[in-house]
Amino acid sequence: MKIYFLILNVYGMGGTVRTVLNTANYLANKNYSIEIISLFRRQNTPFFHVDPRVKITILHDVYARDRNRQDIRTKIANFLLSRKSKLIHKDEESIKQFSLLTDIKLFLYLRSIKEGVLVSTRPCFNLFISKFGRKKIKLVGQEHINFEGHPEGLKKSIKKYYPKLDYLITLTDKDNEHYQKIFNRNSNLQILKITNSVSANQEVYKSSLKEKTVIAAGRLDYIKGYDLLIEAFSYVVKKNPDWKLKIYGTGKEKNELMKLIQDRHLYNHVFLMGPTKNLNKELLNSSIFAVSSRIEGFGLVIVESMQSGVPVVSFDCPHGPSEIITNEVDGILVDNENVLGLANSINLLVEDNELRGKMGLHAIESVKRFSIESIGAQWDEFFKSIFININEQNHKIDSKTLSSNSSN
Amino acid sequence: MKLLNYIWDYSNKKEVLIYEISYRQEYIKLYTKIDYGNDEREKIKEEFVLVKNRNSNEKHFFEVKEKKYFNGYETFVFLLPLRIFEGSYNEVWDLYLLSDSITSKEYIRIKDIATESLEVPYYPVNKNVSLQLFNTIKGNLSIRSTYNNAFAEVHELTSVDNNQLLISGKVFDSDIGTERFLVFEDQETERDYKFKLDILESSNYVEFKQNIVFDDIKSMGNSEFKLYIQVGTKKIPLSINDKVNLKDLFMINNSSLFELLFKKSNKSKHLSVIFVNQKMQVEITNILINTDNVCLKGYINSRYDIKINGLHRIKIKKRDSNEIIEDSIEVYNNKFEYKLEVKNLIHSNRLINGVWDIYLISGEEWIRFVTRLNGIEDKRSIVNMPQIISPNLQNENKVVKVYYTLYEEVSILVRNHIVNKKLQRILFNKNELIIDGLLNIQTPNDEIPELIEGNIRFKLPYGHKMKLPVKVKLIKTGRTLLEYKYIISAAINNSQKENIYQNINFDLCECEIKFGQSNSVFYLNLLPSKIESTLEGLFVKNSELRRLSNSIKLKFYYFMNKVVPINSKYVIFQSTTGMNYSCNPRGLYEEMLKQSIDFKPVWVVNKTNQKIQGNPKIVKPNTLRYYYYLAIGKYFVNNGNFPDFYKKRKNTVHIQTWHGTPLKKLGFDIDPSSPSYKENTSENLIRRNKRWDYLVSPNKYTGNILQRAYLFKNQILNVGYPRNDILYQDKDFKSDQVNKIRSYLNIPANKKIILYAPTWRDNDFHNGLFNEPYEFKFNLNDFVERFGNEYVLLVRLHPRDSIRCQIREYENIIYNVSNYDDIKLLYLISDLLITDYSSVMFDFANTKKPIIFFAYDIKQYSSALRGFYFNLHRDAPGPIVTNGKDLLDTIEISRSLPELYFDKYEEFYNKFCSWEDGCASQRIINQVFYSLKS
């Protein structure tokens, strides 16, 4: 029995890719047959490690494609690429990446799956498989963001189509409760919580917390709120001018953030470091991790930071940070989008070495619950129960046919 | 459904991939996985790995044995024997899995996820061949066999006992048994520091592990050293494995403490180092950029904990030249705060365009301002400080940028506010001149008004100038931080229109636009080929229409080429791919006119406004007339080749005049392992060269080379070059010509002329400097001061570089002649030539006037020089100087050069110019065009 994961681009470096690969690699090691269906290939090789036992199927290879070829197939494909998608929900965040061509490829491939379990990883995919997946396969949707974070149109579609899925997995308890409320009339859809995981493959070392560095890491875009963090840091610098802020990651806001650093004259203190493959190494050289997101699906970086013993100061944004951090025990939660509050909390940890150290130690203990061993085991349980379920159903069908046969 | 499947056949296919690779002396171990997809696992009779040569189709089959079976997939280990690659040079091999089953035989291309994590980039097969395993664009595994690819890599770099450098690594190179040296190549001077290496093993690759002891690090200086492994005469760049730690390498040498700062270049991983004396360091802790000045806060880090106080000198030095700005700072308890008054320095023209480095002077030593202790590496790419825009003495805006260098030193870059990025169109409307294109405007550039006023200045022949007021529209494109679209419009009357049209790129066009109280100036090289008629404008917008019209014209050509008879009077001339009316074809043409040859000349030129004597037909490439004449012409005179589409008809006569005595290796003479080998020996090139019926040679050296390098078997004409005929005309004719040209270029009669014609350098172009002002490697101010009364300097850059000749301040002493049609006329009027590695030297020598070789980058050029037919060091007919000061000193004594270099020059002349006597064209006419003589 095969398990399929449907993801947008397994070659990229986002949180979803990370956690899906953690799970897939773990399960492959437990001898599951895993296939990752990646709609796109945009980079030459995957950013994160892929276990060789995991099969990757690419539907649309953007990297290798030569759109200037003159043959008919390419010309038809180019035409289809230029038409808007009809099957993907128009409120999907990355709707521009989708087209009629990706519709056709997704549809055909999906229909070619005749049995197994299919896990999809974003709302538009969840909707897609609920509408077009074959009846025999078990459909599992995953929600990485809280319900209220969706646009209205998407919310309506979710209410209408998610019940066609067999399972819905959320990342946080709050989300779980919320979805239970929405779908409580529909008992066919099972909703459960499995959070994201951090891999334990690499050895995780503890930071000494001696470096006068605050770090942040994530995609440079509006949701991550690095503009707010930079503003906050200008206050930190006034009181503690020997501290630095390093922001790792890349994204479309890069130029805006660069300009903000220039305008506030923070170029001696705030640095846009570019992406890093080894966040753990950077964590070892830092003392505080800052999260300024306006919205979070979960906050995997928070877990990673706590794993290295680096206490986190984060906005209490919906949803995620508050389920990972216990305020004032293993990290600090600040009112959402409160820039001064963020600055004050950072200053608190900057100025109190002892508090920093204590929080760091608590943090390490606290996040053991997110390790891939523990999360992977949850997935293992989950799939085992699905298999048992399928066997029972088959058994029922068999006995039905047996009895109907015998009655003839 | 079937139709959909045609577009994209995606059934879950069988897939084969390599997930791990390891190297053994005689084979490469490939760990392979087969994934079955949705297909039922069929009964497979036999399975093989196929290694196929992409070029020659040579195939090798290897049976797959000992598979391991898992849930949904299988694995096996495949040993790829290296012996099959033993004779393979510069070829690509692809890997497939061949599955022979009951129903079908299928080949599946093998994919790869292992090459990213390979330890070394090359696996040696034997002393001549190495293999490079790589990942193709489609994610498949391929193998490239490279010939004798020398490669050296460091695996370990540490400090031993605080006074030795331990360096160990591998060298992949075919020369076994010769000595190997570690070389530190000084990038500023010409010195090399060599250390002999003890070799550990002698096999396909060689390992070294050496403790390097430096004699006197202090005497090695502050400059950057690039590291090489020298094998015989070959210098192999030493690169470094990504995993090696380059930090914290300290050494005590002659009682001084040094830090060895190693860096590796991003792409090639080539290792370089600077030696930093730790006795005293100037560490900058804070830089504040204000609108008028830059504030640098820091402290002096002294090794011996000496307290430093008092006034200290600061020197801000322009790189690659002697210009220095002096200043001072007050130091209290080792701390200081230095305010660099940028606005004043720019306004007084002291801080001019270029790169400036800041030093603190302590006794005799110059200590660079650096920031190395703030825990941020690679500040060069991470730190972006705001720029300062400020006007200079001429009220022109300059932009100042403070930044960090590769070695974390503080430097200042001063450049122009605006440069032209791309010229798109020139339109002559009824009463208006419109020029549009793209500009780069430096940041901060958010508040630029949409419509600005300004002027444009045209320089015209005979010293005339035209200044027109303009309105400039500016729109930020958003594609990059700097890019703006511009549309310049100027009102012009008919006579102005005519004047500009005829002389549009006599010299650069200067545009000055007003920004508040000051102006920003940028230059345009208005190419005649960008002049558009409004009808064409419609066409250009629709590229589909254009493509359609081009293919129709081509069909027309092929038709004419087959059907219409050749007209034996038509002679088609082209020079430098139509860029100008010049060189040998021009020389031959003008002689044919003089001799009243009965012919119908056709000139192929890009410029619609080209003036050519004798009233020939003038056609622009890719027009109907162009194709027509190419089809019916009998004689073809070119110094390059006609494009690939051209099909040579029987009974047509092609005369290849070539375009200069060759310096750089050509055609089949090029080293097969060189990257340019392929394009210089390509099938298309060979096919084009086969068209030549006659090849003109100016000297024995050239004839031999061209015949050999291009496999030329037809008639060679050993006659000299038509373009040099003019240099041998009678005195009166020549002096008359000289007067005419001087007047045209507006050169005062009492001044002597120096022609500066440096060769084209790839680096400048590829480093994105193609629009930045050309940086002269000698001080222009000094030149003007010393020689401005006696000489004028004509600067001839490569046409592609012409726009960079921005020498506004030196009008009437320095001239830009990069756009001037024919360089032979510049030879005629010049009294002294300054060049470097350019074949202009061979033609200029016909004048017997002195030549100075200004090879300011001879060090970087040394490997290229090895690829020359001519030994510059040994046979140059004039002095070779490598820095600006020496150049100016040599110009001072240029009168005595003919005497000093008499023998060398004579030898040079005999070898390259002895056939020239002014009758080259005559001889060609006699041999080739005898049937047209009246």
Side-chain angles (χ1 to χ4, degrees), chain A residues 52-53 55 109 259 267-268, chain B residues 12 33 73 287 289 446:
Chain A
R53 287 168 289 199
K55 176 169 187 191
Y109 196 77
K259 198 159 179 305
Y267 32 86
N268 295 290
Chain B
N12 200 338
K33 172 188 167 205
Y73 64 94
I287 303 180
I289 314 279
D446 283 329

Side-chain angles (χ1 to χ4, degrees), chain B residues 827-867:
Chain B
Y827 297 154
L828 199 60
I829 62 175
S830 302
D831 300 292
L832 169 65
L833 170 70
I834 304 174
T835 182
D836 41 46
Y837 332 100
S838 166
S839 51
V840 299
M841 66 172 104
F842 298 110
D843 296 289
F844 189 79
N846 282 298
T847 65
K848 296 216 170 142
K849 304 216 202 94
I851 307 175
I852 302 177
F853 294 87
F854 181 37
Y856 59 84
D857 56 354
I858 197 160
K859 191 118 223 217
Q860 287 88 309
Y861 228 78
S862 61
S863 58
L865 284 176
R866 265 180 267 129

Side-chain angles (χ1 to χ4, degrees), chain B residues 12 107 156 186 198 294 363 604 634 655 759 898 931:
Chain B
N12 200 338
Y107 290 86
E156 194 189 349
D186 190 330
D198 295 325
V294 175
V604 178
K634 165 115 178 149
I655 301 120
T759 192
S931 58

Side-chain angles (χ1 to χ4, degrees), chain B residues 355-367:
Chain B
V355 177
W356 299 77
D357 302 319
I358 315 178
Y359 300 83
L360 175 85
I361 309 302
S362 164
E364 287 299 308
E365 291 183 42
W366 293 46
I367 308 169

